[in-house]
């Protein structure tokens, strides 16, 4: 299934049904009077977050949603039937934005969360509504009220506990494939990951967390270089960032600094999240090289640097336990 995290759709709730003019005429009944019924309500438009979806691809092929008009009233004071509501299912983590793509209308960040976005029009009154002691035979009935319509943007932000960031070929996809059942594309060239991937890391029967891998960032990503920074929204909800730095590169510290600049340019709140810094691919380095690069990276970042080899699994168990602890702390706060 192709991954799609943004879509623009048109929605329109149903118009209300029309009221009618009618009079009761029955044999042997001298005074019938007005009995025109009211129109029925038009259909509402709802959005609901469901766990069975993980992409907005359905909205590429269906972009217009219109609810039906309410039924018209009838004689004998019969009210028109209310139109059926439309419920649009979206993935958990979907944000609904106004047409300007900036004003947030709703954030469906929990399973089963549902919102009413366009209210159906009310039905018009029939002439029986207007009868009074001074107006015994009203000949007035109202049209149904119009429904609401609007264009909205849907933007999906994946719900994950840990966000995986780093340069292309930093070993993020390999790490994800080792710690979870996710099977991202792995190859010896940049940008093998073209869209976000999710994996569930299960430490034991009661502890697990979700990790999100996004396409690698490069210098100038905030200005649209490479794949740009559009996928960074998928790690905004994470409790902690796992920053993998390729230890086989000549200057890992400079690479770490580059990614930090791009995170800061995208969103200072994202850059301020807790970060766990990892020097990856240590199986391809000598002890001396590891020590030098670890020291330089630690001095520049001002934080502890963890060592990892996803291939040989050295340092993997300790890292996963650290991530689980950070996720647990994040859920308490």
């Amino acid at each position: 299934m192709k991954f799609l995290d943004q879509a623009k759709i048109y929605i329109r709730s149903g118009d209300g049904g029309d009221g009618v003019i009618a009079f009761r005429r029955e044999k042997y009944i001298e005074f019938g009077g007005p009995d025109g019924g009211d129109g029925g309500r038009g259909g509402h438009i709802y959005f609901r977050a469901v766990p069975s979806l993980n992409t907005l691809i359905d909205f590429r092929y269906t972009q217009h949603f219109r609810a039906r008009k309410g039924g018209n009233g009838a004689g004998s004071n019969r009210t028109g039937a209310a139109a059926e509501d439309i419920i649009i299912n979206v993935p958990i983590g979907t944000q609904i934005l106004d047409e300007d793509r900036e004003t947030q209308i709703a954030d469906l960040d929990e399973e089963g969360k549902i919102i009413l976005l366009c209210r159906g029009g009310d039905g018009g009154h029939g002439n029986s509504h207007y009868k009074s002691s001074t107006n015994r035979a009203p000949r007035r009935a109202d049209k149904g009220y119009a429904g609401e319509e609007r264009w909205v943007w849907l933007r999906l932000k994946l719900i994950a506990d840990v966000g995986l960031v780093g340069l292309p070929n930093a070993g993020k996809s390999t790490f994800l494939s080792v710690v979870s059942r996710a099977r991202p594309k792995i190859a010896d060239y940049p940008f093998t990951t073209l869209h976000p991937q999710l994996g569930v890391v299960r430490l034991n029967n009661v502890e697990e967390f979700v990790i999100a891998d996004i396409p690698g960032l490069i210098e100038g990503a905030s200005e649209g270089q490479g794949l740009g920074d559009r996928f960074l929204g998928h790690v905004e909800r994470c409790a902690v960032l796992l920053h993998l730095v390729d230890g086989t590169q000549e200057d890992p510290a400079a690479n770490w600094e580059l990614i930090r600049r791009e995170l800061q340019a995208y969103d200072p709140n994202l850059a301020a999240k807790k970060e766990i810094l990892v020097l990856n691919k240590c199986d391809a380095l000598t002890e001396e090289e590891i020590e030098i690069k670890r020291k330089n990276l630690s001095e520049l970042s001002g934080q502890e640097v963890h060592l990892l080899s996803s291939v040989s699994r050295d340092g993997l168990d300790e890292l996963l336990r650290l991530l689980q602890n950070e996720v647990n702390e994040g859920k308490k706060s």
Side-chain angles (χ1 to χ4, degrees):
M1 179 183 293
K2 187 171 182 180
F3 184 85
L4 187 71
D5 62 351
Q6 294 185 37
K8 186 180 182 181
I9 63 172
Y10 171 82
I11 54 176
R12 193 185 197 290
S13 57
D15 296 338
D18 301 334
V20 299
I21 298 174
F23 292 90
R24 182 179 181 186
R25 293 185 177 89
E26 296 181 43
K27 194 174 183 180
Y28 307 121
I29 297 179
E30 183 177 359
F31 301 105
D35 67 351
D38 298 338
R41 174 186 58 79
H44 296 323
I45 302 283
Y46 290 93
F47 282 81
R48 178 174 60 191
V50 297
S52 57
L53 298 175
N54 54 20
T55 174
L56 299 175
I57 188 64
D58 292 343
F59 300 101
R60 169 162 290 182
Y61 309 107
T62 305
Q63 298 173 333
H64 294 77
F65 297 85
R66 294 181 175 89
R68 292 184 177 275
K69 177 184 176 181
N72 295 332
S76 301
N77 285 318
R78 286 176 294 177
T79 301
E84 186 177 355
D85 298 330
I86 290 181
I87 299 178
I88 303 174
N89 291 326
V90 295
I92 300 173
T94 299
Q95 293 179 329
I96 303 176
L97 308 177
D98 208 350
E99 195 171 1
D100 60 9
R101 300 184 72 172
E102 294 181 359
T103 306
Q104 180 173 304
I105 301 172
D107 188 1
L108 302 177
D109 56 352
E110 297 177 2
E111 180 180 344
K113 191 172 183 179
I114 187 169
I115 65 148
L116 171 62
L117 201 62
C118 283
R119 182 179 295 277
D122 291 330
H125 293 308
N127 68 333
S128 65
H129 178 82
Y130 294 104
K131 68 180 179 180
S132 66
S133 60
T134 58
N135 187 6
R136 306 301 297 271
R139 296 183 178 275
R140 172 185 171 183
D142 299 333
K143 288 282 188 181
Y145 292 89
E148 300 173 348
E149 62 178 343
R150 65 195 309 175
W151 285 90
V152 295
W153 279 92
L154 304 181
R155 182 172 65 190
L156 175 61
K157 290 186 177 181
L158 296 177
I159 303 295
D161 301 305
V162 177
L164 201 52
V165 298
L167 285 169
N169 274 23
K172 302 189 301 299
S173 295
T174 301
F175 174 80
L176 186 66
S177 68
V178 169
V179 301
S180 72
R181 292 186 178 181
R183 291 297 174 261
K185 184 178 180 181
I186 301 172
D188 189 20
Y189 55 84
F191 298 115
T192 53
T193 300
L194 299 177
H195 54 78
Q197 300 273 352
L198 284 181
V200 178
V201 180
R202 179 163 296 170
L203 269 65
N204 49 55
N205 291 333
V206 295
E207 289 184 306
E208 66 179 28
F209 59 88
V210 179
I211 189 166
D213 174 24
I214 63 170
L217 301 173
I218 63 172
E219 187 173 6
S222 58
E223 300 172 357
Q225 298 296 319
L227 293 177
D229 59 8
R230 61 165 293 191
F231 293 117
L232 278 177
H234 295 289
V235 296
E236 285 184 13
R237 304 179 191 267
C238 298
V240 60
L241 297 178
L242 177 60
H243 191 159
L244 295 188
V245 180
D246 186 354
T248 63
Q249 297 295 311
E250 184 176 348
D251 192 353
N255 293 341
W256 171 85
E257 194 173 31
L258 186 156
I259 296 297
R260 294 302 304 178
R261 286 198 302 269
E262 296 301 328
L263 292 176
Q264 184 68 32
Y266 174 78
D267 185 356
N269 292 326
L270 177 60
K273 284 185 177 289
K274 170 76 174 180
E275 179 188 63
I276 294 178
L277 182 54
V278 175
L279 186 66
N280 196 20
K281 303 184 182 180
C282 289
D283 57 301
L285 302 175
T286 65
E287 292 292 335
E288 183 180 358
E289 289 174 327
I290 291 175
E291 190 56 36
I292 293 174
K293 293 182 177 182
R294 181 180 190 175
K295 181 180 178 182
N296 293 338
L297 190 54
S298 179
E299 289 178 352
L300 181 62
S301 65
Q303 57 182 301
E304 182 182 1
V305 177
H306 303 272
L307 303 180
L308 174 68
S309 169
S310 299
V311 175
S312 66
R313 303 180 72 90
D314 291 336
L316 186 62
D317 292 340
E318 296 84 351
L319 178 61
L320 294 182
R321 170 45 58 188
L322 176 61
L323 290 172
Q324 182 68 65
N325 292 342
E326 291 292 341
V327 170
N328 293 341
E329 286 298 320
K331 291 181 178 179
K332 290 179 183 178
S333 60

